[in-house]
Amino acid sequence: MRILVFNAGSSSLKFGVFEGARGAGSETRQLLKGAFERFRDGACAFALEIDGVAEQGEAPHADLGAAIAAVPEVLAQHGIDGIEAIGHRIVHGGAEFATPVVLDAPTLSRIEALTPLAPLHNPANLHAVRLAQTVWPDLPQVGVFDTAFHLTNPPRVYSYAVPAAWREAGLRRFGFHGTSHKYVAERAAQALGQPLARLKIISVHLGNGASVCAINLGKSFESSMGLTALEGLVMGTRSGDVDPGAFGYLQRQLGLGIEEIEHALYHDSGLKGLTGSSDMRDVEDRAAAGDAAAQMAINLYAHRARKYIGAYAAGMGGVDAVVFTGGIGENSASMRRRICDGLDFMGLRLDFDRNQSVDLAGRAAPQIQSYGARVAVLVTETAEQLQIAREVAAHLSRPEAEVRPIPVAVSGRHVHLADDSLKALFGPEYALTIAKQLRQPGNWAAKERVTLVGPKGRLENVAILGPLRRRTQIEVSRTDSFALGIDAPVRDSGDLDGTPTVRLIGPNGQLDTDGLIVAARHVHMHPDDAQAMGLEDGQMVSVRIGQGERALTFGHTKIRIQPNAFTEMHIDTDEANASGIGADWVGEVIEMEAHLGA
């Protein structure tokens, strides 16, 4: 499938052509990379690369419309035809757009309503879409959203501690650079030879815009950018973290209005505000020549990044790899070294020679940590356009899926015991008594019960579900975890490494064991139903439950295909209580996310 990808700004147009087989996971190669930049005085700078050969010069295009209209001629000149779809980078999809979408008129209107969240970016993105629709009216135009990857962030991460009316008006953290962070995480997992779903990765995107993303077991857990692209790291012209009280202070002391302050934080701050230059190469040269302001700027830049890496390692309960990308992350060995120095305490150490001799040819992802270091450190080029092309191909290649009803089951607190735990709690020769068969074939509820004890309280008469498992797993609701006084993480069943310890008490003894989780919502699915609905094992979907005004949508629900499974969705007690879901409710899959694999 041949896809043309656009990344449009107010004064620039980047584009690329990619070719690959339809579907997710297939190899996609870049045929052409081009850019028109700095439209002014009836002309713009032009850059093109094809088969490793670069061309540069000036093109007679006065604006974005003229540049897009010129793209077919550029493609024809280089023998590229047969475009089957257009992919567009859309910066902000709000809380609504978790997956790629075909950009028809109603969808464009919904995206346009999000303009207040990204006033500098979304208007240019949408303008490019409408222009492209006039040039290629018969081709599907698909939007891929920078914010979508971060919609897996939990409420404690995306919420601001502000009045309810502000939060209800949409004030929350979103995060950006999601397409870059997603690509980098997948590339790092590939380079490490590990499934992404088993890794804790910190992606450090350092360019004119900069952000850090914690990627916990394949999902974005937190990103340094917030409601807007101002929060977080020091950037080329953006401030990064600033006390919001600065707005009132600057208004009182300097008489500045909100728009003046906001403009300065976006355009006159960061490296530019500290040194007068937004280019890190220039700042590093000046620092080496003794410029005190440049030296302080570099130290501040590195400190902020290092602080976020440490915080995210703590937030995820560990880290397997730190990955540097973006223009500065890829090219500045000294900045990588400054950021990593001081992180030895968490097992992260750079190798001097490997850090100095990074070669990124052929989309390489070399490791630069010291031999024997506990945390891997990688460097790789980001490839946002390539990732967009992959997601567009996967989205358009999905077959027409049959809609099938999915029964909904509310999962109360329960314990799955391993054999050694059963012996400790009930005695060495004890066998559980089956009280009731469950809908999932081979699963049953036992007559016996146990007690859970935490630092704050205890939960009595907790059900035991059989059969026995290789490892003891305790599933509770979020409210239960507060009653126990333990922060139980939201995890997939069986994903128990690094989970909290809780005390189990039985009639014959007690034990302290890890394995305490809040089970992530999921759908047990029979292979026949999965095939009919076009779903894969491990895929994340959105499920709509109920009809009309009472309909609710549950995003980021994992499909678990098992032989002989009874197809049903499992949600925990808190979700059911908050949503008013009871017996006999059913749902249906309404949206499928790009499959990351297991």
Side-chain angles (χ1 to χ4, degrees), residues 413 450-462 476 479-487 501-505 512 516:
R413 68 179 76 110
V450 294
T451 297
L452 306 182
V453 181
K456 182 174 176 59
R458 58 199 288 142
L459 300 173
E460 307 278 0
N461 298 314
V462 178
V476 298
T479 298
D480 288 339
S481 76
F482 279 97
L484 291 169
I486 304 174
D487 185 15
T501 297
V502 66
R503 175 160 292 178
L504 274 66
I505 299 178
D512 295 335
L516 181 68

Side-chain angles (χ1 to χ4, degrees), residues 204 206 212 233 300-310 339:
V204 187
L206 303 178
V212 181
L233 303 183
L300 172 55
Y301 189 99
H303 170 77
R304 187 77 58 85
R306 186 187 312 116
K307 182 173 71 171
Y308 269 97
I309 291 172
I339 291 171

Side-chain angles (χ1 to χ4, degrees), residues 153-174:
N153 291 179
R156 69 180 183 273
V157 165
Y158 69 67
S159 300
Y160 288 117
V162 296
W166 297 9
R167 287 180 275 117
E168 290 165 3
L171 185 64
R172 54 159 284 176
R173 305 184 76 252
F174 286 101

Side-chain angles (χ1 to χ4, degrees), residues 139-198:
L139 295 183
Q141 315 260 341
V142 179
V144 177
F145 299 88
D146 260 16
T147 47
F149 183 53
H150 303 304
L151 290 180
T152 53
N153 291 179
R156 69 180 183 273
V157 165
Y158 69 67
S159 300
Y160 288 117
V162 296
W166 297 9
R167 287 180 275 117
E168 290 165 3
L171 185 64
R172 54 159 284 176
R173 305 184 76 252
F174 286 101
F176 299 89
H177 291 148
T179 307
S180 172
H181 290 304
K182 184 176 182 179
Y183 169 81
V184 163
E186 292 177 351
R187 182 67 188 91
Q190 182 185 44
L192 293 170
Q194 295 287 330
L196 178 58
R198 295 183 185 175

Side-chain angles (χ1 to χ4, degrees), residues 92-97 109-119 122 145:
H92 215 306
E96 180 177 359
F97 293 100
S109 296
R110 287 157 58 199
I111 298 171
E112 196 160 29
L114 300 171
T115 296
L117 293 172
N122 271 27
F145 299 88

